[in-house]
Amino acid sequence: MQARVFSVFRFVICVVLLSSSLWSQKPSEAGSQNSDHAGSPKLRPRIGLVLEGGGALGLAHVGVIKWLEENRIPVDVIAGTSMGGVVGGIYASGESPDQIRTLVRTIPWNRVLGGAMPYRDLAFRRKEDRREYQNAFEFGLKQGTQFPSGFNSGQQVGLILDKVGLPYSEMKSFDDLPIPFRCVATDLVTGKKFVFDGGSLAEAMRATMSIPAFFVPVREAGLVLVDGGLLDNLPVDVARQMGADIVIAVHLETQAFNPNAPLTSVSVLERSASVSIEVNELASMEKADIVLTAHLEKFDTTDYTQFEAIEAEGYKAAQQKSTLLTRLQVDEKEWKARLAARASKRRQPSIPEFVEVTGAKGDILAGLQHDVADLAGKPIDQRKIDREMMAITGLGRFAQAGYEETTKNGETGLLVETQEKEYAPPTVHPLFVIDGSDYKNVLFQVGARITFLDVGGFGSEWRNDVIAGSEYGAKTEFFHPLNFHTGWFVAAHGTADSSPLNVYQRDKILGEYRDRIFGGGVDFGYMFGRTAEMRVGYDEGYQKISEDIGTPVEPTVRGRYGITSLSYRLDRFDDPMIPRRGERLESTFHFYDTKPGTTDFVPTGELRLGLAEPINAKSSVLFFASGGTSFSTRDTGFPPFSLGGPLRLGAYGLNELLTNQYFLVQPAFLYRLRELSPLLKQNVYLLSMYEAGKAYGQPAGTAGVAQDGTVGLLFQTVFGPVFFGGSLGDSDHRKFFFNVGKFF
């Protein structure tokens, strides 16, 4: 407290002396700028603004800056950490408070900080991975078992910072910015803080906000850099070193720790880190001349959607110290001169004369260079560049792809920097699914998908699925593009699998069957960018469908099969687990020249359609429809289609309606009840669905068109979707069921 009193007293004395000095000068002298020449007297003190880190709470700094600008309080130097470093860096680049506010408002924070690559930006095969393995976990086998160094690669955050920092990519000193700037990171190699004073502005901002374990660290010249808040969350000392005579420090006041609150391992870890950070904050606050305290006790560090309210608290914090701050005010003439000087130092992105890719080699480098070549010779198109960067990371081999300006042989170009995953390939996607379609007979699966890249050339993949539990077996596919620059490919695949095929009558199981299959085939196809795929191929093998327990519903079938197939799949959903927007289409045609259980040729066709459209920020309407037919063929062996079970007439027993022909329509409504964790993309939804379908060729007394309604809670978690619900249908059909790990 004594140190704080002394700091304020020192500031008051400084301002009094300053006021006297200005009063005694001629008007022309009082309105002139500071002189940086040695030996020349300063006409006013050099003011430093120091911005504290604090996640979403750091958005309060925008309100502080807005108040300072409205009241003509000059800022000569800026120093910041974490989110304070990001806001400070944007302001130092010459952006006005209104421009910063516009930028912050347009950022989809929850999606950007959610960690996962947006589903729509993934390559088609990576979409297949996400659909079939719906949890958020991935690790690699590059040098033994390795996990990512951060939950979030920082790709989407990086693109935002690249946009801001593009004109300031190669700076000898951050003193040459419109406002001199420094930000602080923590070097894990030396255990010391690292102060960015030059280089790439975007990289400096990315490093200062790299929360350990959440964001992937930034590597630079032997350094491993993470969030600077660990050692210096309020870098007053850095501002002093920049020559600040008076330091205005912005402190973000958070809710006091409640000793009586329930504790978890996560909360204890968070609080332990906070204690260390608070110690270095307190020491810095004692060194500041003016401390602006933004009271943010009712907000959380992840409340990015509360920008307006958080910004208002920052504005209020400055307003509350207006008596002190207005003593630093300059007149209108000097303020306009300062704005003009700041504007003169702003840089605009240059038209790139060439594009160069780094971080890749061989065929990979050549392929990427081909994809981004058309960015040269044109004004910067921000959306196009962002799409290209997301497409690169959507391939699955790169953790990050960013860009900056570079100079080579006197020409200015665009440098695309890619960073391969440190832990992969091969990549492993684990699987854990609990199927409670019948809560009296719960099924489970554990397994993994292991994908090797560039086996047999750039773009080739060897994908392997291993599964154990109620279903067990292995599947493999070798995918080889005929040319990297076209969509044509050939794929060879094989399978050995044994899966349950239980048949129910309402809640009563009639027979426990197993479907055993061993075979393989070859497909030839075309990939339509990231959204669709068409294949034609032939499969051959051995299949046996037999009853293990219960009353036989269908006779045992076994023998060779041979299938000529044609398929088309389109996927424009925005999420593999819980779609809010887009469409999905799956169309398949099979022609069996040989099929177990019949001597006839058997053609079958099936079409599945899904549509999703948001109503507002919380609600979406969904529509699913499907239908299949064996084209009036009577003798098909084991029926190729079935209805019954979750999302297939949920009130009916699993596979209760076996058939050679069917249709099913399912309008649904999805409403987000609560957001559990925006950073981890965890939400709770209410799902309601109406279903109407018909299975042809059923015994007399079966409803012509079966109907039911389904209601349940759908949890979106890092472990995959979790659903609890039930269906009520006609003819006294009703069912409770749950699923963990996979849905839709």
Side-chain angles (χ1 to χ4, degrees), residues 183-471:
C183 64
V184 177
T186 299
D187 179 18
L188 297 182
V189 177
T190 63
K192 299 178 180 179
K193 74 177 183 181
F194 181 86
V195 179
F196 280 92
D197 58 5
S200 166
L201 177 61
E203 185 171 83
M205 292 189 291
R206 187 183 296 115
T208 191
M209 67 170 295
S210 293
I211 303 171
F214 186 80
F215 285 112
V216 172
V218 172
R219 294 178 180 270
E220 180 184 320
L223 307 177
V224 180
L225 303 171
V226 297
D227 196 304
L230 297 176
L231 298 178
D232 196 355
N233 202 40
L234 189 65
V236 172
D237 56 337
V238 175
R240 294 286 189 203
Q241 292 166 9
M242 296 174 72
D245 301 305
I246 295 178
V247 173
I248 304 171
V250 183
H251 172 57
L252 310 174
E253 186 70 33
T254 58
Q255 186 175 16
F257 183 72
N258 183 3
N260 299 317
L263 294 176
T264 66
S265 57
V266 175
S267 64
V268 171
L269 184 62
E270 289 178 343
R271 180 55 187 164
S272 299
S274 297
V275 169
S276 175
I277 293 173
E278 287 172 4
V279 170
N280 71 62
E281 287 175 355
L282 181 60
S284 294
M285 289 165 64
E286 292 175 346
K287 299 174 184 176
D289 298 298
I290 303 177
V291 177
L292 309 182
T293 300
H295 293 283
L296 304 168
E297 293 87 349
K298 61 182 179 181
F299 301 103
D300 190 76
T301 56
T302 60
D303 286 337
Y304 288 92
T305 57
Q306 300 295 317
F307 164 70
E308 297 283 353
I310 294 175
E311 180 202 20
E313 290 298 327
Y315 190 91
K316 188 186 301 182
Q319 181 66 41
Q320 289 172 345
K321 292 292 181 73
S322 61
T323 303
L324 288 175
L325 291 174
T326 52
R327 293 178 180 270
L328 303 174
Q329 191 177 71
V330 298
D331 60 33
E332 187 70 30
K333 181 180 179 181
E334 181 174 348
W335 180 251
K336 289 182 178 179
R338 291 182 62 83
L339 293 181
R342 189 191 305 174
S344 68
K345 298 179 70 174
R346 288 201 67 179
R347 300 181 183 179
Q348 298 299 325
S350 303
I351 297 177
E353 299 173 83
F354 65 91
V355 180
E356 181 180 349
V357 180
T358 63
K361 56 186 177 181
D363 290 337
I364 304 173
L365 177 62
L368 297 182
Q369 193 75 50
H370 176 273
D371 287 345
V372 300
D374 63 344
L375 296 175
K378 304 173 185 176
I380 295 295
D381 183 337
Q382 203 63 54
R383 291 186 178 181
K384 184 174 183 180
I385 292 179
D386 286 353
R387 285 197 302 268
E388 292 288 354
M389 298 305 103
M390 296 301 287
I392 291 173
T393 50
L395 294 172
R397 68 174 67 242
F398 298 102
Q400 293 180 12
Y403 58 93
E404 63 179 27
E405 282 190 0
T406 187
T407 302
K408 190 174 183 180
N409 299 325
E411 295 183 334
T412 300
L414 192 67
L415 183 65
V416 174
E417 299 174 304
T418 64
Q419 180 181 326
E420 290 192 336
K421 293 178 178 178
E422 297 179 344
Y423 56 92
T427 303
V428 181
H429 293 91
L431 175 72
F432 179 76
V433 175
I434 300 176
D435 183 355
S437 302
D438 177 8
Y439 66 90
K440 298 177 183 178
N441 184 36
V442 177
L443 308 177
F444 74 95
Q445 300 172 359
V446 294
R449 168 167 288 179
I450 307 171
T451 304
F452 298 83
L453 300 181
D454 303 326
V455 178
F458 174 65
S460 298
E461 296 183 14
W462 181 27
R463 192 163 68 184
N464 303 275
D465 296 298
V466 180
I467 192 170
S470 304
E471 177 183 358

Side-chain angles (χ1 to χ4, degrees), residues 48 73 117 119 177 241 321 368 375 391 451 460 502 523 584 733:
I73 311 299
M117 273 286 296
Y119 187 66
L177 287 164
Q241 292 166 9
K321 292 292 181 73
L368 297 182
L375 296 175
T451 304
S460 298
N502 298 337
D523 293 337
R584 179 183 292 161
H733 282 85

Side-chain angles (χ1 to χ4, degrees), residues 33 64 142-143 512 584 732-733:
Q33 300 298 305
V64 172
K142 195 170 188 176
Q143 296 177 346
E512 294 186 10
R584 179 183 292 161
D732 293 327
H733 282 85

Side-chain angles (χ1 to χ4, degrees), residues 589-590 603-607 627-633 640-641 660-662:
F589 174 80
H590 291 159
T604 66
E606 186 173 27
L607 179 68
T629 180
S630 56
F631 301 96
S632 301
T633 302
F641 309 112
N660 291 333
Q661 185 170 301
Y662 82 96

Side-chain angles (χ1 to χ4, degrees), residues 365-609:
L365 177 62
L368 297 182
Q369 193 75 50
H370 176 273
D371 287 345
V372 300
D374 63 344
L375 296 175
K378 304 173 185 176
I380 295 295
D381 183 337
Q382 203 63 54
R383 291 186 178 181
K384 184 174 183 180
I385 292 179
D386 286 353
R387 285 197 302 268
E388 292 288 354
M389 298 305 103
M390 296 301 287
I392 291 173
T393 50
L395 294 172
R397 68 174 67 242
F398 298 102
Q400 293 180 12
Y403 58 93
E404 63 179 27
E405 282 190 0
T406 187
T407 302
K408 190 174 183 180
N409 299 325
E411 295 183 334
T412 300
L414 192 67
L415 183 65
V416 174
E417 299 174 304
T418 64
Q419 180 181 326
E420 290 192 336
K421 293 178 178 178
E422 297 179 344
Y423 56 92
T427 303
V428 181
H429 293 91
L431 175 72
F432 179 76
V433 175
I434 300 176
D435 183 355
S437 302
D438 177 8
Y439 66 90
K440 298 177 183 178
N441 184 36
V442 177
L443 308 177
F444 74 95
Q445 300 172 359
V446 294
R449 168 167 288 179
I450 307 171
T451 304
F452 298 83
L453 300 181
D454 303 326
V455 178
F458 174 65
S460 298
E461 296 183 14
W462 181 27
R463 192 163 68 184
N464 303 275
D465 296 298
V466 180
I467 192 170
S470 304
E471 177 183 358
Y472 53 88
K475 299 177 183 179
T476 186
E477 181 187 60
F478 176 72
F479 173 92
H480 181 71
L482 300 183
N483 188 303
F484 176 71
H485 305 306
T486 67
W488 296 104
F489 67 88
V490 63
H493 53 269
T495 182
D497 185 72
S498 176
S499 59
L501 184 62
N502 298 337
V503 181
Y504 290 79
Q505 180 64 45
R506 298 188 181 177
D507 291 334
K508 181 181 179 182
I509 188 169
L510 297 183
E512 294 186 10
Y513 282 71
R514 292 205 74 83
D515 183 3
R516 301 174 179 88
I517 186 170
F518 180 82
V522 177
D523 293 337
F524 178 72
Y526 186 82
M527 198 86 70
F528 300 88
R530 297 192 295 266
T531 60
E533 176 193 84
M534 179 176 284
R535 291 189 180 211
V536 60
Y538 187 80
D539 286 55
E540 185 175 12
Y542 177 84
Q543 183 179 24
K544 177 182 178 182
I545 303 177
S546 60
E547 180 246 345
D548 286 347
I549 303 174
T551 304
V553 180
E554 296 287 341
T556 297
V557 295
R558 70 182 74 191
R560 175 188 172 273
Y561 66 84
I563 312 171
T564 300
S565 62
L566 173 65
S567 66
Y568 175 77
R569 292 182 296 161
L570 171 73
D571 192 346
R572 289 179 178 160
F573 272 160
D574 62 347
D575 191 274
M577 295 186 287
I578 304 174
R580 300 283 316 279
R581 183 191 297 274
E583 57 274 345
R584 179 183 292 161
L585 176 68
E586 296 183 9
S587 175
T588 58
F589 174 80
H590 291 159
F591 182 81
Y592 291 83
D593 56 67
T594 303
K595 188 175 188 292
T598 180
T599 57
D600 289 351
F601 296 124
V602 181
T604 66
E606 186 173 27
L607 179 68
R608 297 192 178 198
L609 171 68

